Amino acid sequence: MNNKKLTWINIGLALVAILLAYLVFDSIRQPVVFADKCREREVQVVQSLKDIRSTQVLFKQTYNRYTADFDSLIEYVKTGTLPVVNMVADPNDTTFTKTINDTVGYISVYDSLFAKRENFDLNSMRIVPFSQDEKFEMEAGYIMRGGLKVAVFEAKTPYKVYLWDLDQQRVNNRRAEMEDLNKYAGLKVGSMDEPSLSGNWESL
């Protein structure tokens, strides 16, 4: 075998070695890239769910119920007001445990929740970040607990909505893993089965 042929064989073997090294590197890198993208997106999805929760809590304080309608929730933020209450000790109470609540003014719901969020778009509250303009699923109603009717709500979005353009096999694996654990395959806050305001990311 002449030297020229050996040279081409060596070059071929070197290229194969480089290709195999890249494939090994890529097989290690891809799960890391996927996990990083998931975390990056979930930070924003969670923030949106926290915004929905905060707004629902104030909505319930005003109307003694939650709402399943984003239009009602957004209109409440735009037009609703909350009393600013000054609590002072009752001068006639010698135990120093009683207080007198004095309403000294009102603050808008928007300012109470979002005054520090520069250029915050209220309408974005209903849209799942990184999705194809899909809305969060939201329900509200009542359940019975201890003989009492308790208001509940739930807002959620599945993995497939905000991870739609990532590696679908990995998304499906993640969904299947959560379903095997009998957990919701996505992010959600509240519950239609329990009087809870927790987000499922808080228990992950």
Side-chain angles (χ1 to χ4, degrees), residues 129-143:
F130 298 100
S131 74
Q132 295 176 294
D133 289 331
E134 294 197 44
K135 296 179 182 178
F136 285 100
E137 301 170 40
M138 190 162 70
E139 297 179 78
Y142 297 91
I143 60 172

Side-chain angles (χ1 to χ4, degrees), residues 15-83:
L15 290 174
V16 169
I18 291 171
L19 177 60
L20 289 175
Y22 172 78
L23 292 174
V24 170
F25 169 77
D26 194 55
S27 69
I28 297 170
R29 184 181 69 90
Q30 285 302 324
V32 175
V33 170
F34 177 77
D36 287 346
K37 287 182 177 178
C38 287
R39 279 192 293 269
E40 176 188 340
R41 295 185 180 197
E42 287 177 348
V43 166
Q44 293 191 42
V45 176
V46 164
Q47 182 59 60
S48 293
L49 289 170
K50 287 180 177 179
D51 291 340
I52 292 170
R53 174 171 61 186
S54 299
T55 307
Q56 286 276 23
V57 167
L58 295 185
F59 187 95
K60 182 176 179 291
Q61 286 180 14
T62 301
Y63 298 110
N64 202 32
R65 64 179 177 86
Y66 297 112
T67 179
D69 180 46
F70 272 109
D71 288 337
S72 298
L73 202 62
I74 291 170
E75 184 64 22
Y76 172 69
V77 177
K78 288 179 179 177
T79 62
T81 58
L82 300 168

Side-chain angles (χ1 to χ4, degrees), residues 11-204:
I11 291 173
L13 291 173
L15 290 174
V16 169
I18 291 171
L19 177 60
L20 289 175
Y22 172 78
L23 292 174
V24 170
F25 169 77
D26 194 55
S27 69
I28 297 170
R29 184 181 69 90
Q30 285 302 324
V32 175
V33 170
F34 177 77
D36 287 346
K37 287 182 177 178
C38 287
R39 279 192 293 269
E40 176 188 340
R41 295 185 180 197
E42 287 177 348
V43 166
Q44 293 191 42
V45 176
V46 164
Q47 182 59 60
S48 293
L49 289 170
K50 287 180 177 179
D51 291 340
I52 292 170
R53 174 171 61 186
S54 299
T55 307
Q56 286 276 23
V57 167
L58 295 185
F59 187 95
K60 182 176 179 291
Q61 286 180 14
T62 301
Y63 298 110
N64 202 32
R65 64 179 177 86
Y66 297 112
T67 179
D69 180 46
F70 272 109
D71 288 337
S72 298
L73 202 62
I74 291 170
E75 184 64 22
Y76 172 69
V77 177
K78 288 179 179 177
T79 62
T81 58
L82 300 168
V84 178
V85 177
N86 184 31
M87 291 190 299
V88 295
D90 185 343
N92 299 318
D93 175 33
T94 57
T95 64
F96 302 103
T97 58
K98 296 180 182 179
T99 60
I100 298 174
N101 297 339
D102 181 27
T103 300
V104 296
Y106 292 86
I107 183 173
S108 74
V109 174
Y110 182 91
D111 286 343
S112 173
L113 292 173
F114 305 117
K116 296 181 180 178
R117 302 271 288 279
E118 190 173 346
N119 299 320
F120 180 73
D121 178 12
L122 266 179
N123 289 313
S124 69
M125 186 188 300
R126 73 180 84 209
I127 303 299
V128 181
F130 298 100
S131 74
Q132 295 176 294
D133 289 331
E134 294 197 44
K135 296 179 182 178
F136 285 100
E137 301 170 40
M138 190 162 70
E139 297 179 78
Y142 297 91
I143 60 172
M144 296 301 296
R145 282 294 180 273
L148 298 174
K149 190 167 74 169
V150 180
V152 292
F153 91 95
E154 181 177 281
K156 63 186 179 182
T157 186
Y159 293 138
K160 65 180 182 180
V161 169
Y162 62 90
L163 303 177
W164 65 275
D165 57 338
L166 300 186
D167 185 327
Q168 286 306 294
Q169 185 58 56
R170 297 186 192 281
V171 174
N172 290 336
N173 291 345
R174 197 174 189 205
R175 174 186 53 77
E177 180 182 348
M178 296 303 287
E179 290 176 351
D180 286 345
L181 296 171
N182 200 28
K183 294 182 177 180
Y184 179 65
L187 290 170
K188 73 168 191 167
V189 66
S191 172
M192 294 302 294
D193 302 314
E194 300 290 338
S196 170
L197 293 174
S198 296
N200 66 343
W201 65 88
E202 294 166 336
S203 60
L204 294 177

